[in-house]
Amino acid sequence: MDIKKILVINGPNINMLGLREPEIYGSKTYGDLLKFIDAAAADMGLEAHCFQSNSEGAIVDEIQRAHGIYDGIIINPAAYTHTSVAIPDALKAVGILAVEVHLSDISKREPYRRISYTSEACLKTIAGLGFEGYHEAIRFLKNLNKSA
Ligand code: DQA
């Protein structure tokens, strides 16, 4: 296993961090998250590229484009987690190792957030750690280099 380049995908409304329900998602902005991910990737010696979209089709397009370019995907599909079949289908189609991240603990919120269609296309789901969840996901992908 040689994971060097990772794609970090954030779904709808993640660009509204800071403004959006700060009691759930905190007061830091999407710009802060981008800086956090850059630093976390540098810390792990990986190259990370971030992508955000509010549109399901654009996320599917980005996953398809990742084929042959990225060795790992970290994805917070946001609300599409609970509704999209196309996103896990795309992850399975490209076969890139993927980790699902959620800022909040989706298992302790509304019942409809407990279902994740994305998780069956991911090696692991990390939820409820805020920004740190992305660091954890990067670390998990990096550690795959040792285990294979
Ligand atoms: C989220 C959880 C989802 O249920 C929600 O729709 C989001 C963000 C999270 O990061 O905690 O938009 O994925």
Side-chain angles (χ1 to χ4, degrees):
M1 199 79 57
D2 194 14
I3 295 182
K4 287 188 189 135
K5 276 183 81 170
I6 56 170
L7 174 64
V8 183
I9 299 176
N10 281 293
N13 301 306
I14 300 295
N15 57 321
M16 299 300 279
L17 286 178
L19 180 69
R20 176 189 187 198
E21 300 175 275
E23 65 288 358
I24 297 173
Y25 299 110
S27 56
K28 292 198 174 136
T29 65
Y30 179 63
D32 294 330
L33 178 61
L34 294 180
K35 283 186 211 143
F36 180 91
I37 291 168
D38 263 0
D43 179 41
M44 293 284 142
L46 297 180
E47 187 187 327
H49 173 79
C50 293
F51 172 83
Q52 190 277 331
S53 177
N54 297 320
S55 141
E56 182 180 13
I59 293 170
V60 169
D61 286 342
E62 187 67 12
I63 293 169
Q64 291 182 3
R65 265 195 297 270
H67 181 67
I69 300 175
Y70 293 97
D71 315 306
I73 291 179
I74 293 171
I75 183 161
N76 180 350
Y80 292 135
T81 306
H82 321 294
T83 62
S84 174
V85 175
I87 289 173
D89 278 357
L91 289 170
K92 288 185 210 163
V94 295
I96 300 173
L97 300 174
V99 180
E100 177 184 12
V101 171
H102 299 283
L103 295 157
S104 65
D105 186 352
I106 52 173
S107 71
K108 302 221 167 82
R109 297 182 59 192
E110 300 92 329
Y112 60 83
R113 293 189 203 272
R114 290 185 201 139
I115 293 165
S116 166
Y117 290 108
T118 313
S119 63
E120 66 169 50
C122 293
L123 291 172
K124 187 181 171 75
T125 298
I126 299 165
L129 300 182
F131 283 13
E132 189 52 35
Y134 293 84
H135 199 167
E136 196 59 39
I138 293 168
R139 191 176 296 117
F140 176 82
L141 286 173
K142 170 81 180 182
N143 284 341
L144 292 175
N145 286 337
K146 289 185 206 142
S147 56

